[in-house]
Amino acid sequence: MSVITQTSPAAAKEAAPEKQWRRPSYWPFVVPALVVVLAIIIFPWLFTIWMSLHEWKVGVPTTFVGLSNYLRLTGDPRFIEAVGHTLVYTALSVLLPLMLGTLAAVVFHQKFAGRGFLRGIFIMPMMATPVAIGLVWTMMFHPQLGVLNYLLSLVGIPAQLWVFHPATVIPSLVLVETWQWTPLVMLIVLGGLAAIPTEPYESAQIDGASFWQVFRFITLPLIMPFLFIAGMIRMIDAVKSFDIIFAITQGGPGSASETINLYLYSVAFAYYDIGYGSAIAVIFFLLIVALAAVMLYVRQRMLWTEMGGGA
Amino acid sequence: MVNHKISRRTLLTGTAAAGALSLTGLPARADISWKKYSGTKLEVILAKGPRGDNLQKYIKEFTDLSGIQVESEQIPEQQQRQKVVIELTSGRPSFDVIHLSYHVQKRQFEKAGWLADMTPYLKDPTLTPPDLVESDFSAAGLQYAKNDKGQMLSLPWSVDYFILYYNKELLQRKSIEVPKTLEEMATAAEKLTDPKEGIYGFVGRGLRNANMAMWTNFYLNYGGEFLDAKGNILSDGPEAIEATKLYQRLLTKSAPPGVAGFNWMESMASFTQGRAAMWIDADGWAPPLEDPAASRVVGKVGYTRVPAGPKGQFSSTYGDGIGIAAASKNKEAAYLLCQWVASKGQGARLLQAGGGVPFRNSIVDDPEVAKGVKTKEWLQSVIDSAKISKLGLPVIIPVAEYRDTVGAALTATLSGADPATELKKAHEQFRPILERSEKT
Amino acid sequence: MNLRSILGRIGLWFAILVIVSPAILFFLWMLSLSLKFEIDNAAYPPVFFPEHIAWKNYADVLASNRFLTYFLNSLVVTGSATALALMVGIPAGYGIARMAAHKSAIVILIARITPGLSYLIPLFLLFQWLGLLGTLVPQIIIHLVVTVPIVIWIMIGYFETTPLELEEAALIDGATRWQVFRHVALPIAKPGIAVAFILAVIFSWNNFVFGIVLAGRETRTLPVAVYNMISFDQLSWGPLAAAALIVTLPVLLLTVFAQRQIVAGLTAGAVKGG
């Protein structure tokens, strides 16, 4: 159980007050990174917030307009639609890679011939440049000439419209996203699996536990911190996903796959409506913070339950 | 290759027009002082495409002539437009000469005052050859290049007319005549469509934003106008609804599946594979269609004007220009380059490569230049289209928003939405945007 | 071998096949696209093995001017951004893990959360004001936005699972915290560093949005340059696929090398017991 305890040093500290001296003394380790991050983040953020309070358009003198850019958002049907698309896209693009990535990690945790090589192949999708990958997928999605419909026809499934129909465009994009980012989840979970002590497995083997039981009651709890990190990274990346959607659909057909980030891009760089775009960026940021907070909250709850269960 | 020989000859004419013209001597005017700005270094930002290629391929001749060093780069259209605007907004652009898309950027650039006024340079015989006069540019070109005060802010470079491409073999197989009207075209397209064979009667842009370029051609031929005298947008009126119905009919009944996501690239793929019988798009695609390495329809392609609508026959027109950044410190040298780019020699090369149509009548109407054009039928379609040319988009600042918003409505009709409702919704969304940007 | 273990083996290999085939098939198809002339690339049914191989697709990409410059730019940007990120990120991850200072982690998380697009305009103006445009510095700095948070997050995860006992013992023996970090914590965290390194490199290498605005003709990175090359003005799927493969190749090669390190680090079971 000590492994779980250590994953939450806060809890460990409460249990052992004599370790209190750790707390202030590790700041020097963190300060350089903090300085770097603050230096690159603070300026753009102040500037973005400032711009979001202005009417800032090309060829027009910049004027202070207060919160009117934010008010405009509430009545912008395109923005509201984009929020919906983003949430659906993100939910699918977190859950599918998490599930498949865990499965893949369990498989790659086994010993078999050519494991290193196959693992290398498996993580290739996340190595490749998203824009180029996206364009190759576009060709594969082509309803008439695409290789995907050809493969479907081989097994008797009728041709699909993939990214060319409003109803299937988001699932199709999620397919690409999942294909690309399942390896990231796999890598992180694999790190977790390697960190697991062998003793519980040995005793489980003696007790004759099934593969599924071992996974559910030993492996899964132990890799939870890793799944959480993977899920958090995945969520942030999926919400902000840009390259793939931009390269494949540019938010289309119509605006069926226009997420907040794509709309933000259009407003800021195609319409040059910098003030409004900045307001979208701020709201977008707050949305991601909200999602992250929900995930952190859920994790804390789970940890707390586990600790309680362990006591 | 025959073509090769001719293009060598035109290369000579090109040099003559660009440089040696001063030697032929028109005594009334002074010669261009090419070398006056020798040693200057110019930066040029180009949108990727045949026009940029045309400049880069021959730029050494300009440098030999003038001693001006030219550094240029081509960036994909979308990024180029963004980069140009970001840098111009910052007040210190890294380039002197700008390749701009009139149909998207004209109003924006004028309003922001980013371009240097070329009017005095045009009148200066030491900078401008005698054959480069305003009246040589087509009306559309001048409309694009001049601001409200009549100043020339750029030189019109290359014009895009929308034309009808058709597959002669497929039409003959079903004994169908080349359509003369949009109605005939829609009927013919339905006859030609045979999904079992994977053959479709028509293909064209269904993709949001890009689709506007084709749709406006229908709109114009149904009698539509974009703006009223007060600058209000009109493209949700009865003409627009009729045009959208045609658009919907063509792309749902006789176009390949997935057309809602097609830009010209996907449309061209269908057409070059011989899977689409007719295609309406910009005039620059003859080279890939006639390239055996890229096309299965070489020699089978017909080129003609966009069929007439009930209220007329127009060819939607778009265009590129070349201008000087107002913040540039080398305006005269930059102008020398601009006028070289728009010169007869360079224009002839552009036309002969099939990469674009110069705005200058003296180039398009020159039989010598025409001899060097490989696909005569294409040239004829372009010349015919020039006579019925009409600007394909409203000249307003928020063109990108307009294309996106109304374009999305058009795409929505492809999944069954009602044209009138969608257009109304889109225009309700767009009108405040237009008001906000045109005020002040 | 009993029946159950044989069935288990078959099941395992079936699972491996299912898991790996999407990647294999995709890249084989991409390779096929990159070696075909346009006429084969747009054919239906698809042509898998072309009669004529279009080596020219690759030649075209490699012959495009400044290819070497762009490649070096990419190396410098990704290399510097990753090295700097590891320098500040590994100690930071360690410190945060040991202090349980999740609040400071959230500050770092903000960098990761901020939409990349919103950095572009402010930083462009800043770098212009500083006169740094035209050098690689702006890109290196903005890539830190990508690499630093990744490194820190991965390292927190790793250090949280490393045993405290060894470190405590070392501290009791009179070692300083830096010595403990350097000689006890760091060696144990090697697998984590490898993962962090790889992820930082990928994200930095593949990034193209920043480069489009910040990079000029001389300072363009390879993905941006290739993206420019693969613009939409022709149906050029062959060169596109060739370019994509060329861009990807350095990262893939790197993975092959680092892969051994990761596998070794993972199988050594550095974090046993505790």
Side-chain angles (χ1 to χ4, degrees), chain B residues 389-419:
Chain B
S389 150
K390 193 165 176 180
L391 295 196
L393 282 166
V395 182
I396 50 178
I397 293 171
V399 178
E401 285 101 316
Y402 179 68
R403 292 175 59 149
D404 273 2
T405 317
V406 184
L410 295 181
T411 307
T413 68
L414 300 184
S415 357
D418 174 56

PDB file of all heavy atoms in Angstrom, chain B residues 389-419:
ATOM      1  N   SER B 389     -17.107  39.526 -68.028  1.00  0.00           N
ATOM      2  CA  SER B 389     -16.549  39.507 -66.677  1.00  0.00           C
ATOM      3  C   SER B 389     -17.328  40.399 -65.714  1.00  0.00           C
ATOM      4  O   SER B 389     -17.757  41.497 -66.062  1.00  0.00           O
ATOM      5  CB  SER B 389     -15.091  39.971 -66.777  1.00  0.00           C
ATOM      6  OG  SER B 389     -14.693  40.608 -65.614  1.00  0.00           O
ATOM      7  N   LYS B 390     -17.520  39.933 -64.497  1.00  0.00           N
ATOM      8  CA  LYS B 390     -18.167  40.739 -63.458  1.00  0.00           C
ATOM      9  C   LYS B 390     -17.594  40.314 -62.102  1.00  0.00           C
ATOM     10  O   LYS B 390     -17.416  39.119 -61.866  1.00  0.00           O
ATOM     11  CB  LYS B 390     -19.681  40.495 -63.491  1.00  0.00           C
ATOM     12  CG  LYS B 390     -20.460  41.508 -62.688  1.00  0.00           C
ATOM     13  CD  LYS B 390     -21.940  41.438 -63.046  1.00  0.00           C
ATOM     14  CE  LYS B 390     -22.742  42.391 -62.154  1.00  0.00           C
ATOM     15  NZ  LYS B 390     -24.166  42.382 -62.447  1.00  0.00           N
ATOM     16  N   LEU B 391     -17.335  41.292 -61.249  1.00  0.00           N
ATOM     17  CA  LEU B 391     -16.703  40.972 -59.968  1.00  0.00           C
ATOM     18  C   LEU B 391     -17.537  39.940 -59.206  1.00  0.00           C
ATOM     19  O   LEU B 391     -18.740  40.087 -59.042  1.00  0.00           O
ATOM     20  CB  LEU B 391     -16.518  42.225 -59.104  1.00  0.00           C
ATOM     21  CG  LEU B 391     -15.565  43.281 -59.633  1.00  0.00           C
ATOM     22  CD1 LEU B 391     -15.185  44.252 -58.522  1.00  0.00           C
ATOM     23  CD2 LEU B 391     -14.299  42.655 -60.222  1.00  0.00           C
ATOM     24  N   GLY B 392     -16.867  38.917 -58.723  1.00  0.00           N
ATOM     25  CA  GLY B 392     -17.552  37.765 -58.142  1.00  0.00           C
ATOM     26  C   GLY B 392     -17.854  37.871 -56.669  1.00  0.00           C
ATOM     27  O   GLY B 392     -18.483  36.986 -56.117  1.00  0.00           O
ATOM     28  N   LEU B 393     -17.391  38.911 -56.007  1.00  0.00           N
ATOM     29  CA  LEU B 393     -17.691  39.046 -54.583  1.00  0.00           C
ATOM     30  C   LEU B 393     -17.925  40.516 -54.289  1.00  0.00           C
ATOM     31  O   LEU B 393     -17.412  41.375 -54.997  1.00  0.00           O
ATOM     32  CB  LEU B 393     -16.519  38.536 -53.731  1.00  0.00           C
ATOM     33  CG  LEU B 393     -16.364  37.035 -53.557  1.00  0.00           C
ATOM     34  CD1 LEU B 393     -15.001  36.693 -53.004  1.00  0.00           C
ATOM     35  CD2 LEU B 393     -17.445  36.466 -52.641  1.00  0.00           C
ATOM     36  N   PRO B 394     -18.706  40.813 -53.251  1.00  0.00           N
ATOM     37  CA  PRO B 394     -18.902  42.222 -52.911  1.00  0.00           C
ATOM     38  C   PRO B 394     -17.585  42.828 -52.444  1.00  0.00           C
ATOM     39  O   PRO B 394     -16.789  42.159 -51.782  1.00  0.00           O
ATOM     40  CB  PRO B 394     -19.922  42.183 -51.768  1.00  0.00           C
ATOM     41  CG  PRO B 394     -19.798  40.816 -51.190  1.00  0.00           C
ATOM     42  CD  PRO B 394     -19.412  39.924 -52.331  1.00  0.00           C
ATOM     43  N   VAL B 395     -17.348  44.084 -52.805  1.00  0.00           N
ATOM     44  CA  VAL B 395     -16.129  44.748 -52.370  1.00  0.00           C
ATOM     45  C   VAL B 395     -16.400  45.382 -51.009  1.00  0.00           C
ATOM     46  O   VAL B 395     -16.855  46.511 -50.895  1.00  0.00           O
ATOM     47  CB  VAL B 395     -15.681  45.791 -53.398  1.00  0.00           C
ATOM     48  CG1 VAL B 395     -14.381  46.446 -52.948  1.00  0.00           C
ATOM     49  CG2 VAL B 395     -15.481  45.135 -54.751  1.00  0.00           C
ATOM     50  N   ILE B 396     -16.145  44.603 -49.964  1.00  0.00           N
ATOM     51  CA  ILE B 396     -16.377  45.041 -48.589  1.00  0.00           C
ATOM     52  C   ILE B 396     -15.177  44.606 -47.766  1.00  0.00           C
ATOM     53  O   ILE B 396     -14.323  43.861 -48.265  1.00  0.00           O
ATOM     54  CB  ILE B 396     -17.654  44.383 -48.000  1.00  0.00           C
ATOM     55  CG1 ILE B 396     -17.611  42.865 -48.228  1.00  0.00           C
ATOM     56  CG2 ILE B 396     -18.899  44.989 -48.602  1.00  0.00           C
ATOM     57  CD1 ILE B 396     -18.788  42.118 -47.655  1.00  0.00           C
ATOM     58  N   ILE B 397     -15.090  45.078 -46.524  1.00  0.00           N
ATOM     59  CA  ILE B 397     -13.951  44.656 -45.711  1.00  0.00           C
ATOM     60  C   ILE B 397     -14.086  43.208 -45.233  1.00  0.00           C
ATOM     61  O   ILE B 397     -13.185  42.412 -45.410  1.00  0.00           O
ATOM     62  CB  ILE B 397     -13.742  45.616 -44.529  1.00  0.00           C
ATOM     63  CG1 ILE B 397     -13.311  46.980 -45.065  1.00  0.00           C
ATOM     64  CG2 ILE B 397     -12.667  45.075 -43.596  1.00  0.00           C
ATOM     65  CD1 ILE B 397     -13.277  48.049 -44.022  1.00  0.00           C
ATOM     66  N   PRO B 398     -15.232  42.850 -44.615  1.00  0.00           N
ATOM     67  CA  PRO B 398     -15.273  41.487 -44.047  1.00  0.00           C
ATOM     68  C   PRO B 398     -15.606  40.419 -45.087  1.00  0.00           C
ATOM     69  O   PRO B 398     -16.579  39.688 -44.950  1.00  0.00           O
ATOM     70  CB  PRO B 398     -16.351  41.586 -42.969  1.00  0.00           C
ATOM     71  CG  PRO B 398     -17.258  42.672 -43.431  1.00  0.00           C
ATOM     72  CD  PRO B 398     -16.444  43.600 -44.283  1.00  0.00           C
ATOM     73  N   VAL B 399     -14.799  40.330 -46.144  1.00  0.00           N
ATOM     74  CA  VAL B 399     -15.051  39.333 -47.183  1.00  0.00           C
ATOM     75  C   VAL B 399     -14.925  37.926 -46.611  1.00  0.00           C
ATOM     76  O   VAL B 399     -15.727  37.041 -46.915  1.00  0.00           O
ATOM     77  CB  VAL B 399     -14.065  39.496 -48.356  1.00  0.00           C
ATOM     78  CG1 VAL B 399     -14.312  38.426 -49.404  1.00  0.00           C
ATOM     79  CG2 VAL B 399     -14.215  40.861 -48.985  1.00  0.00           C
ATOM     80  N   ALA B 400     -13.929  37.729 -45.751  1.00  0.00           N
ATOM     81  CA  ALA B 400     -13.715  36.389 -45.198  1.00  0.00           C
ATOM     82  C   ALA B 400     -14.935  35.946 -44.393  1.00  0.00           C
ATOM     83  O   ALA B 400     -15.401  34.811 -44.530  1.00  0.00           O
ATOM     84  CB  ALA B 400     -12.463  36.374 -44.336  1.00  0.00           C
ATOM     85  N   GLU B 401     -15.469  36.844 -43.554  1.00  0.00           N
ATOM     86  CA  GLU B 401     -16.668  36.502 -42.782  1.00  0.00           C
ATOM     87  C   GLU B 401     -17.841  36.206 -43.713  1.00  0.00           C
ATOM     88  O   GLU B 401     -18.619  35.298 -43.481  1.00  0.00           O
ATOM     89  CB  GLU B 401     -17.066  37.654 -41.845  1.00  0.00           C
ATOM     90  CG  GLU B 401     -16.181  37.799 -40.626  1.00  0.00           C
ATOM     91  CD  GLU B 401     -15.183  38.925 -40.797  1.00  0.00           C
ATOM     92  OE1 GLU B 401     -14.581  39.019 -41.893  1.00  0.00           O
ATOM     93  OE2 GLU B 401     -14.992  39.694 -39.847  1.00  0.00           O
ATOM     94  N   TYR B 402     -17.952  37.030 -44.752  1.00  0.00           N
ATOM     95  CA  TYR B 402     -19.048  36.852 -45.707  1.00  0.00           C
ATOM     96  C   TYR B 402     -18.978  35.467 -46.340  1.00  0.00           C
ATOM     97  O   TYR B 402     -19.951  34.726 -46.377  1.00  0.00           O
ATOM     98  CB  TYR B 402     -18.954  37.935 -46.784  1.00  0.00           C
ATOM     99  CG  TYR B 402     -20.006  37.850 -47.849  1.00  0.00           C
ATOM    100  CD1 TYR B 402     -21.340  38.109 -47.555  1.00  0.00           C
ATOM    101  CD2 TYR B 402     -19.674  37.508 -49.162  1.00  0.00           C
ATOM    102  CE1 TYR B 402     -22.321  38.030 -48.534  1.00  0.00           C
ATOM    103  CE2 TYR B 402     -20.637  37.429 -50.146  1.00  0.00           C
ATOM    104  CZ  TYR B 402     -21.966  37.696 -49.830  1.00  0.00           C
ATOM    105  OH  TYR B 402     -22.926  37.608 -50.800  1.00  0.00           O
ATOM    106  N   ARG B 403     -17.791  35.116 -46.809  1.00  0.00           N
ATOM    107  CA  ARG B 403     -17.623  33.812 -47.456  1.00  0.00           C
ATOM    108  C   ARG B 403     -17.896  32.686 -46.487  1.00  0.00           C
ATOM    109  O   ARG B 403     -18.503  31.675 -46.847  1.00  0.00           O
ATOM    110  CB  ARG B 403     -16.217  33.699 -48.038  1.00  0.00           C
ATOM    111  CG  ARG B 403     -15.980  34.639 -49.204  1.00  0.00           C
ATOM    112  CD  ARG B 403     -14.549  34.591 -49.684  1.00  0.00           C
ATOM    113  NE  ARG B 403     -14.168  33.254 -50.108  1.00  0.00           N
ATOM    114  CZ  ARG B 403     -13.283  33.008 -51.071  1.00  0.00           C
ATOM    115  NH1 ARG B 403     -12.711  33.998 -51.706  1.00  0.00           N
ATOM    116  NH2 ARG B 403     -12.964  31.783 -51.387  1.00  0.00           N
ATOM    117  N   ASP B 404     -17.435  32.846 -45.247  1.00  0.00           N
ATOM    118  CA  ASP B 404     -17.653  31.797 -44.257  1.00  0.00           C
ATOM    119  C   ASP B 404     -19.126  31.639 -43.903  1.00  0.00           C
ATOM    120  O   ASP B 404     -19.654  30.529 -43.866  1.00  0.00           O
ATOM    121  CB  ASP B 404     -16.872  32.110 -42.971  1.00  0.00           C
ATOM    122  CG  ASP B 404     -15.448  31.582 -43.028  1.00  0.00           C
ATOM    123  OD1 ASP B 404     -15.083  31.015 -44.079  1.00  0.00           O
ATOM    124  OD2 ASP B 404     -14.719  31.734 -42.046  1.00  0.00           O
ATOM    125  N   THR B 405     -19.781  32.762 -43.621  1.00  0.00           N
ATOM    126  CA  THR B 405     -21.151  32.707 -43.102  1.00  0.00           C
ATOM    127  C   THR B 405     -22.118  32.239 -44.174  1.00  0.00           C
ATOM    128  O   THR B 405     -22.884  31.293 -43.980  1.00  0.00           O
ATOM    129  CB  THR B 405     -21.573  34.104 -42.601  1.00  0.00           C
ATOM    130  OG1 THR B 405     -20.489  34.670 -41.873  1.00  0.00           O
ATOM    131  CG2 THR B 405     -22.779  34.017 -41.702  1.00  0.00           C
ATOM    132  N   VAL B 406     -22.105  32.904 -45.326  1.00  0.00           N
ATOM    133  CA  VAL B 406     -23.031  32.523 -46.382  1.00  0.00           C
ATOM    134  C   VAL B 406     -22.614  31.169 -46.964  1.00  0.00           C
ATOM    135  O   VAL B 406     -23.469  30.338 -47.306  1.00  0.00           O
ATOM    136  CB  VAL B 406     -23.107  33.613 -47.468  1.00  0.00           C
ATOM    137  CG1 VAL B 406     -24.140  33.242 -48.514  1.00  0.00           C
ATOM    138  CG2 VAL B 406     -23.448  34.963 -46.847  1.00  0.00           C
ATOM    139  N   GLY B 407     -21.323  30.937 -47.033  1.00  0.00           N
ATOM    140  CA  GLY B 407     -20.836  29.644 -47.523  1.00  0.00           C
ATOM    141  C   GLY B 407     -21.337  28.494 -46.680  1.00  0.00           C
ATOM    142  O   GLY B 407     -21.696  27.431 -47.197  1.00  0.00           O
ATOM    143  N   ALA B 408     -21.380  28.680 -45.360  1.00  0.00           N
ATOM    144  CA  ALA B 408     -21.876  27.632 -44.470  1.00  0.00           C
ATOM    145  C   ALA B 408     -23.350  27.362 -44.750  1.00  0.00           C
ATOM    146  O   ALA B 408     -23.798  26.215 -44.717  1.00  0.00           O
ATOM    147  CB  ALA B 408     -21.675  28.026 -43.012  1.00  0.00           C
ATOM    148  N   ALA B 409     -24.102  28.436 -45.044  1.00  0.00           N
ATOM    149  CA  ALA B 409     -25.517  28.263 -45.375  1.00  0.00           C
ATOM    150  C   ALA B 409     -25.665  27.427 -46.642  1.00  0.00           C
ATOM    151  O   ALA B 409     -26.497  26.517 -46.709  1.00  0.00           O
ATOM    152  CB  ALA B 409     -26.180  29.631 -45.562  1.00  0.00           C
ATOM    153  N   LEU B 410     -24.831  27.697 -47.639  1.00  0.00           N
ATOM    154  CA  LEU B 410     -24.888  26.928 -48.886  1.00  0.00           C
ATOM    155  C   LEU B 410     -24.581  25.461 -48.622  1.00  0.00           C
ATOM    156  O   LEU B 410     -25.270  24.563 -49.108  1.00  0.00           O
ATOM    157  CB  LEU B 410     -23.880  27.480 -49.893  1.00  0.00           C
ATOM    158  CG  LEU B 410     -24.121  28.897 -50.388  1.00  0.00           C
ATOM    159  CD1 LEU B 410     -23.045  29.276 -51.395  1.00  0.00           C
ATOM    160  CD2 LEU B 410     -25.498  29.016 -51.012  1.00  0.00           C
ATOM    161  N   THR B 411     -23.542  25.212 -47.834  1.00  0.00           N
ATOM    162  CA  THR B 411     -23.180  23.832 -47.527  1.00  0.00           C
ATOM    163  C   THR B 411     -24.328  23.138 -46.808  1.00  0.00           C
ATOM    164  O   THR B 411     -24.597  21.959 -47.044  1.00  0.00           O
ATOM    165  CB  THR B 411     -21.897  23.788 -46.693  1.00  0.00           C
ATOM    166  OG1 THR B 411     -20.887  24.542 -47.350  1.00  0.00           O
ATOM    167  CG2 THR B 411     -21.406  22.366 -46.525  1.00  0.00           C
ATOM    168  N   ALA B 412     -25.009  23.891 -45.933  1.00  0.00           N
ATOM    169  CA  ALA B 412     -26.122  23.291 -45.186  1.00  0.00           C
ATOM    170  C   ALA B 412     -27.233  22.837 -46.130  1.00  0.00           C
ATOM    171  O   ALA B 412     -27.876  21.812 -45.877  1.00  0.00           O
ATOM    172  CB  ALA B 412     -26.658  24.278 -44.159  1.00  0.00           C
ATOM    173  N   THR B 413     -27.446  23.568 -47.220  1.00  0.00           N
ATOM    174  CA  THR B 413     -28.508  23.152 -48.143  1.00  0.00           C
ATOM    175  C   THR B 413     -28.184  21.807 -48.795  1.00  0.00           C
ATOM    176  O   THR B 413     -29.066  21.120 -49.263  1.00  0.00           O
ATOM    177  CB  THR B 413     -28.740  24.188 -49.270  1.00  0.00           C
ATOM    178  OG1 THR B 413     -27.599  24.218 -50.124  1.00  0.00           O
ATOM    179  CG2 THR B 413     -29.016  25.561 -48.721  1.00  0.00           C
ATOM    180  N   LEU B 414     -26.918  21.438 -48.777  1.00  0.00           N
ATOM    181  CA  LEU B 414     -26.534  20.164 -49.389  1.00  0.00           C
ATOM    182  C   LEU B 414     -26.963  18.980 -48.538  1.00  0.00           C
ATOM    183  O   LEU B 414     -27.052  17.857 -49.014  1.00  0.00           O
ATOM    184  CB  LEU B 414     -25.021  20.105 -49.639  1.00  0.00           C
ATOM    185  CG  LEU B 414     -24.467  21.193 -50.565  1.00  0.00           C
ATOM    186  CD1 LEU B 414     -23.004  20.977 -50.816  1.00  0.00           C
ATOM    187  CD2 LEU B 414     -25.235  21.228 -51.877  1.00  0.00           C
ATOM    188  N   SER B 415     -27.197  19.202 -47.241  1.00  0.00           N
ATOM    189  CA  SER B 415     -27.765  18.124 -46.429  1.00  0.00           C
ATOM    190  C   SER B 415     -29.263  18.333 -46.245  1.00  0.00           C
ATOM    191  O   SER B 415     -29.849  17.851 -45.296  1.00  0.00           O
ATOM    192  CB  SER B 415     -27.065  17.999 -45.075  1.00  0.00           C
ATOM    193  OG  SER B 415     -26.007  18.884 -44.934  1.00  0.00           O
ATOM    194  N   GLY B 416     -29.866  19.092 -47.155  1.00  0.00           N
ATOM    195  CA  GLY B 416     -31.322  19.136 -47.196  1.00  0.00           C
ATOM    196  C   GLY B 416     -31.973  20.382 -46.611  1.00  0.00           C
ATOM    197  O   GLY B 416     -33.192  20.499 -46.640  1.00  0.00           O
ATOM    198  N   ALA B 417     -31.179  21.305 -46.078  1.00  0.00           N
ATOM    199  CA  ALA B 417     -31.790  22.502 -45.485  1.00  0.00           C
ATOM    200  C   ALA B 417     -32.432  23.378 -46.571  1.00  0.00           C
ATOM    201  O   ALA B 417     -32.026  23.329 -47.738  1.00  0.00           O
ATOM    202  CB  ALA B 417     -30.738  23.292 -44.719  1.00  0.00           C
ATOM    203  N   ASP B 418     -33.402  24.172 -46.156  1.00  0.00           N
ATOM    204  CA  ASP B 418     -34.125  25.014 -47.108  1.00  0.00           C
ATOM    205  C   ASP B 418     -33.305  26.249 -47.483  1.00  0.00           C
ATOM    206  O   ASP B 418     -32.847  26.980 -46.601  1.00  0.00           O
ATOM    207  CB  ASP B 418     -35.459  25.434 -46.476  1.00  0.00           C
ATOM    208  CG  ASP B 418     -36.189  26.428 -47.370  1.00  0.00           C
ATOM    209  OD1 ASP B 418     -36.417  26.078 -48.544  1.00  0.00           O
ATOM    210  OD2 ASP B 418     -36.493  27.542 -46.900  1.00  0.00           O
ATOM    211  N   PRO B 419     -33.106  26.493 -48.776  1.00  0.00           N
ATOM    212  CA  PRO B 419     -32.269  27.629 -49.209  1.00  0.00           C
ATOM    213  C   PRO B 419     -32.697  28.963 -48.626  1.00  0.00           C
ATOM    214  O   PRO B 419     -31.859  29.691 -48.081  1.00  0.00           O
ATOM    215  CB  PRO B 419     -32.430  27.612 -50.731  1.00  0.00           C
ATOM    216  CG  PRO B 419     -32.714  26.206 -51.073  1.00  0.00           C
ATOM    217  CD  PRO B 419     -33.513  25.655 -49.918  1.00  0.00           C
TER     218      PRO B 419
END
